[in-house]
Amino acid sequence: MIQYDYTMPLSSVNLNWMKETPDQYLFFDIETTGLSAARSDLYLIGYGTILNDEQFRITLLFNDDGCSEPKMLAAFKDILADYKYLVTYNGDTFDLPYIKEKYRQFRQEISFDSITSIDVYRKIRKYKKLLQMDSMKQSALESVMGMERDEFHSGGLLIDTYQDYLGTKDTQLQDMLLSHNKDDIYGLFYVSGSLTLTSFFEGNFSISKTTCTDTQFTIYIQTGRLAIPFDTNCNDIHISGIDEVVTIDIPVIHDTLKYFYKDYKNYFYLPLEQTAIHKDVACYVESAYKEKARPETAYTTKTSSFIRQNKFKQSHIFKYEHTDKDGYIELNDTFINDRIQLKEYLLNILKQIK
């Protein structure tokens, strides 16, 4: 086994998604000669760490002789013990199961229970459409975020390169293998900034102000600096985010809508007034002017300004008709000034964005 170390600048990598100090995060990627740990070899373990909030150090453990897997695994085990989070790209599906199987294969005891996996791919893939990406490969995300590699070789094509290296010890082949993994680790570090997007969508933001006109209710949100700007529509709502500000524009209607009582059996409908009243009051109304309410007639009306419910669960939902699947929320001062409820309404909308 040969160990190689590289120091890279932190550059403009966005680390606002981190919940703890950067020195708790280990960025990890492996290179293998196949997908099955039982039928292939592990020839590179790469990992990256942040030094003093100024530099990013990449370490590569290289299986230079084709039989150094036990040494590589032992060395990585010692490193792993010092970190709380393991950051990968599709690592939950490939890298982690593969290396765990290698530890079992070489009878080296290790537990991953004390370390939390952060798979960037699994967290960001739901936003493929939002980011207008055709592919969710790491290199594609790097490109979307403005990072371009000087040269790219797929891991699959490098399998033959590694086999050729073992037979020739050609330093150019070795450089190709090392450069690919080094670029993967630094690329992983760079695209981890995309987690600022998931952090926002998970509710790590605060409402800074709201404005309202006859046709539009606008909510301004303060969040951590976003690594990727976005602009999208969810139903009839426009959402855009750049840097530390997200703006949400919600259409407003001014109309007369109905509020339907769920316990309709406790109400009587007054056809002439087109409204329903509780049975305790209806007892004073002559029978000719009232009838037992049905689900579609147990309502009262209100003329006001409203915004779409958008599947948000609230006790007071207005509708045009009882059978409408989605309703409206009255846009009044109580709703606007209740920041907790307003944030819940926004989170409900954000969950629908993919």
Side-chain angles (χ1 to χ4, degrees):
M1 179 192 79
I2 303 179
Q3 176 175 319
Y4 297 90
D5 294 291
Y6 309 86
T7 302
M8 314 283 286
L10 284 186
S11 184
S12 57
V13 177
N14 191 327
L15 303 178
N16 289 330
W17 58 270
M18 292 183 173
K19 297 179 180 180
E20 299 193 35
T21 55
D23 60 1
Q24 294 294 309
Y25 296 81
L26 185 69
F27 297 80
F28 163 67
D29 182 62
I30 62 175
E31 304 296 339
T32 72
T33 60
L35 299 178
S36 170
R39 297 187 296 273
S40 63
D41 296 324
L42 173 67
Y43 70 85
L44 258 172
I45 297 178
Y47 58 88
T49 56
I50 298 171
L51 301 176
N52 304 319
D53 294 331
E54 296 179 355
Q55 294 179 318
F56 186 66
R57 182 177 64 193
I58 295 174
T59 299
L60 306 183
L61 306 177
F62 182 48
N63 187 354
D64 63 307
D65 54 9
C67 55
S68 294
E69 288 176 289
K71 292 181 181 178
M72 296 162 62
L73 293 167
F76 184 65
K77 177 182 177 180
D78 292 339
I79 294 297
L80 197 61
D82 295 331
Y83 295 89
K84 190 172 181 178
Y85 300 95
L86 191 62
V87 186
T88 64
Y89 198 87
N90 200 31
D92 286 352
T93 301
F94 177 66
D95 301 72
L96 284 174
Y98 188 101
I99 202 167
K100 287 178 182 179
E101 178 57 33
K102 281 296 180 182
Y103 277 112
R104 284 192 290 269
Q105 182 180 330
F106 289 101
R107 299 179 180 178
Q108 294 188 22
E109 292 185 5
I110 186 172
S111 173
F112 285 80
D113 294 343
S114 61
I115 194 162
T116 300
S117 171
I118 300 176
D119 188 334
V120 178
Y121 167 76
R122 295 188 73 173
K123 287 181 173 291
I124 205 69
R125 63 181 175 182
K126 68 177 71 175
Y127 305 114
K128 179 180 178 181
K129 183 177 179 181
L130 174 67
L131 300 176
Q132 301 178 359
M133 295 178 64
D134 296 326
S135 165
M136 283 307 299
K137 291 181 179 179
Q138 180 179 312
S139 56
L141 184 55
E142 291 173 8
S143 182
V144 166
M145 295 181 64
M147 176 183 172
E148 297 294 342
R149 300 195 189 194
D150 295 332
E151 190 174 10
F152 180 78
H153 301 282
S154 72
L157 293 176
L158 290 175
I159 294 175
D160 289 338
T161 303
Y162 176 63
Q163 298 296 347
D164 291 341
Y165 166 78
L166 290 178
T168 65
K169 301 297 182 180
D170 188 315
T171 56
Q172 288 187 333
L173 297 178
Q174 182 191 58
D175 289 343
M176 188 182 300
L177 296 166
L178 298 176
S179 294
H180 171 75
N181 191 244
K182 177 169 67 74
D183 290 345
D184 272 356
I185 293 292
Y186 191 71
L188 168 63
F189 175 54
Y190 193 88
V191 301
S192 72
S194 66
L195 296 178
T196 57
L197 195 63
T198 64
S199 178
F200 163 71
F201 278 96
E202 289 170 356
N204 293 307
F205 61 80
S206 60
I207 298 170
S208 57
K209 70 172 183 176
T210 62
T211 60
C212 192
T213 67
D214 290 339
T215 59
Q216 183 170 281
F217 177 47
T218 301
I219 304 172
Y220 298 90
I221 292 173
Q222 191 73 28
T223 186
R225 183 170 60 88
L226 297 167
I228 313 176
F230 66 91
D231 189 285
T232 190
N233 291 290
C234 177
N235 299 324
D236 51 0
I237 297 173
H238 178 248
I239 305 172
S240 63
I242 187 169
D243 294 331
E244 298 176 346
V245 177
V246 176
T247 305
I248 301 181
D249 298 319
I250 305 172
V252 174
I253 65 166
H254 190 78
D255 209 342
T256 301
L257 299 182
K258 302 172 183 176
Y259 172 73
F260 293 89
Y261 299 106
K262 293 181 179 179
D263 56 338
Y264 67 93
K265 292 183 178 179
N266 291 321
Y267 287 83
F268 280 81
Y269 181 60
L270 309 182
L272 294 179
E273 298 182 32
Q274 295 188 344
T275 190
I277 59 175
H278 196 269
K279 62 183 181 181
D280 291 345
V281 179
C283 64
Y284 300 105
V285 179
E286 294 183 20
S287 298
Y289 300 101
K290 66 182 180 182
E291 60 185 54
K292 287 186 177 181
R294 301 185 303 276
E296 64 271 19
T297 60
Y299 66 81
T300 185
T301 60
K302 186 162 191 178
T303 300
S304 185
S305 295
F306 301 91
I307 58 175
R308 283 275 300 275
Q309 176 190 2
N310 283 293
K311 301 180 181 179
F312 179 63
K313 294 181 179 181
Q314 195 201 42
S315 59
H316 228 68
I317 297 296
F318 293 84
K319 297 181 178 181
Y320 282 102
E321 299 298 338
H322 179 261
T323 54
D324 292 347
K325 292 183 178 180
D326 204 24
Y328 293 83
I329 297 171
E330 185 180 7
L331 189 61
N332 53 28
D333 289 342
T334 300
F335 178 77
I336 294 173
N337 294 327
D338 187 343
R339 288 297 197 250
I340 295 177
Q341 182 176 227
L342 187 56
K343 184 171 182 177
E344 290 176 351
Y345 175 73
L346 294 178
L347 285 171
N348 181 72
I349 294 172
L350 295 177
K351 287 178 182 178
Q352 301 174 50
I353 296 177
K354 295 181 179 180

